[in-house]
């Protein structure tokens, strides 16, 4: 079997930055916490917990005795204000691209636009984005949702940073027919676009596609859906422990990609497993 690893698989800039911030702060400060999981990867979060950096999900439980790292997805405006009020030592690891989405959401709202946000309503990044909108807004998951919302004549469009750019463009085109005035701000980060493009290209040419990343990771789940449309034999796995030898029956070409919050060691473990299956097949 031949193995092909997609370009841009694994940690993106924002995630790597957040991880490095946690590592650095845990060495120079005591009682370091992350507000929610620092990234959507259970294995990385577990490693930090084993080293004393615990996850706190309730901002009300944090006070001046704590140093808290804000995760790469960002937090809501009101949560940030609570932390400041409680004199918590705040270490901001929010991805700069997410901060940019906050700024654009606030600007569109301040300029009187009815803001449409393409994203997952229950995702912490989207909750953070809409918290900066003072006026009317709508959260949609794709272009089909547009027919179910009541739009003003003046509409602004932004997106969760890890959304699919093709879906974003379809939403834009449909909104052009619905709004008298449409202002589009593409807040999808370039790393997401490059990762998705590389995954699509690879999925078209292999017999089996593996997408590695947390089951709670929105960007990894989108990668899985994108790849599965092009290669029906696609699996979303968190670790090599989910692989079985029969998954590789009658497979000649294997494609591998990974979400933005997937560390290299998980990708390496998958590669090692496949190489073992390859070696066993050659010996039999």
């Amino acid at each position: 079997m031949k193995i092909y690893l997609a370009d841009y698989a694994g940690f993106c800039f924002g995630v790597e930055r957040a991880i490095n911030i946690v590592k650095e702060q845990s060495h120079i400060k005591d009682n370091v916490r992350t507000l929610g999981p620092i990234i959507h990867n259970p294995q990385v979060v577990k490693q930090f917990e084993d080293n004393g950096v615990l996850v706190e999900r309730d901002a009300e439980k944090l006070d001046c005795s704590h140093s808290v790292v804000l995760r790469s997805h960002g937090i809501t405006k009101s949560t940030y204000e609570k932390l400041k009020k409680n004199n918590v030592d705040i270490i901001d690891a929010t991805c700069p691209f997410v901060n940019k989405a906050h700024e654009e959401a606030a600007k569109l709202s301040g300029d009187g636009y009815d803001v449409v946000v393409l994203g997952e309503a229950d995702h912490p990044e989207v909750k953070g984005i809409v918290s900066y909108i003072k006026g009317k807004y709508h959260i949609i998951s794709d272009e089909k949702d547009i027919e179910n919302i009541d739009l003003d004549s003046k509409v602004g469009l932004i997106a969760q940073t890890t959304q699919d750019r093709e879906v974003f463009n379809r939403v834009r085109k449909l909104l052009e027919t619905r709004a008298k005035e449409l202002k589009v701000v593409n807040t999808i980060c370039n790393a997401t676009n490059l990762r998705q493009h590389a995954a699509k290209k690879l999925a078209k040419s292999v017999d089996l596609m593996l997408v590695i990343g947390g089951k709670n990771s929105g960007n990894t789940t989108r990668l899985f859906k994108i790849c599965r449309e092009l290669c029906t034999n696609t699996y979303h796995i968190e670790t090599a422990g989910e692989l079985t030898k029969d998954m590789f029956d009658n497979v000649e070409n294997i494609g591998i990609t990974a979400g933005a919050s997937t560390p290299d060691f998980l990708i390496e473990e998958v590669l090692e497993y496949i190489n073992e299956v390859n070696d066993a097949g050659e010996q039999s």
Side-chain angles (χ1 to χ4, degrees), residues 19-268:
I19 293 297
N20 288 336
I21 287 173
V22 175
K23 288 179 179 177
E24 177 186 327
Q25 294 299 315
S26 66
H27 286 128
I28 63 177
K29 295 183 178 180
D30 296 323
N31 212 8
V32 175
R33 299 285 185 269
T34 65
L35 185 55
I38 188 66
I39 62 173
H40 280 159
N41 185 272
Q43 290 74 35
V44 171
V45 172
K46 178 66 165 54
Q47 284 184 339
F48 279 132
E49 288 179 337
D50 290 343
N51 288 307
V53 180
L54 304 180
V55 176
E56 179 54 68
R57 298 178 185 277
D58 186 355
E60 296 288 355
K61 294 182 179 179
L62 296 166
D63 56 35
C64 60
S65 68
H66 297 101
S67 293
V68 62
V69 182
L70 306 186
R71 56 187 169 181
S72 55
H73 307 109
I75 60 174
T76 65
K77 185 177 181 180
S78 62
T79 300
Y80 189 90
E81 290 169 351
K82 284 179 185 176
L83 293 173
K84 293 288 287 185
K85 183 179 179 181
N86 292 337
N87 296 314
V88 179
D89 176 29
I90 300 173
I91 304 148
D92 196 349
T94 304
C95 174
F97 294 107
V98 174
N99 278 328
K100 179 67 174 177
H102 292 174
E103 294 169 6
E104 295 296 348
K107 186 176 179 181
L108 285 171
S109 176
D111 290 342
Y113 287 91
D114 182 0
V115 184
V116 174
V117 183
L118 175 64
E120 303 159 73
D122 59 349
H123 194 284
E125 181 186 326
V126 174
K127 290 179 180 179
I129 291 171
V130 300
S131 73
Y132 285 83
I133 299 174
K134 293 181 179 180
K136 188 177 175 184
Y137 70 85
H138 316 270
I139 302 171
I140 63 169
S141 59
D142 56 35
E143 67 274 21
K144 297 174 186 176
D145 291 339
I146 295 175
E147 59 190 53
N148 299 320
I149 57 178
D150 180 27
L151 292 168
D152 292 344
S153 59
K154 188 176 177 180
V155 177
L157 172 64
I158 59 174
Q160 183 179 355
T161 59
T162 56
Q163 284 293 308
D164 185 334
R165 189 164 293 187
E166 289 185 7
V167 176
F168 184 82
N169 288 334
R170 292 200 297 268
V171 169
R172 174 182 56 79
K173 288 179 181 178
L174 189 52
L175 286 176
E176 286 173 350
T177 68
R178 291 281 306 274
K180 289 185 178 179
E181 179 184 345
L182 177 65
K183 184 170 184 179
V184 178
V185 184
N186 188 346
T187 50
I188 299 173
C189 79
N190 191 50
T192 294
N193 185 49
L194 291 171
R195 183 189 314 275
Q196 291 175 353
H197 179 75
K200 288 176 185 177
K201 183 178 179 181
L202 184 56
K204 292 176 182 178
S205 62
V206 296
D207 309 310
L208 169 67
M209 192 76 190
L210 299 176
V211 182
I212 311 167
K215 297 293 174 64
N216 60 341
S217 166
N219 80 85
T220 306
T221 300
R222 267 184 294 283
L223 272 180
F224 167 66
K225 291 178 179 177
I226 287 169
C227 291
R228 189 174 57 178
E229 289 179 359
L230 300 168
C231 175
T232 55
N233 193 22
T234 296
Y235 295 90
H236 178 181
I237 61 170
E238 282 193 2
T239 70
E242 296 172 58
L243 297 173
T244 58
K245 291 181 180 179
D246 61 352
M247 291 167 63
F248 302 95
D249 288 346
N250 302 314
V251 170
E252 294 184 3
N253 299 300
I254 303 167
I256 297 174
T257 189
S261 52
T262 305
D264 286 346
F265 77 86
L266 291 177
I267 300 172
E268 290 297 329

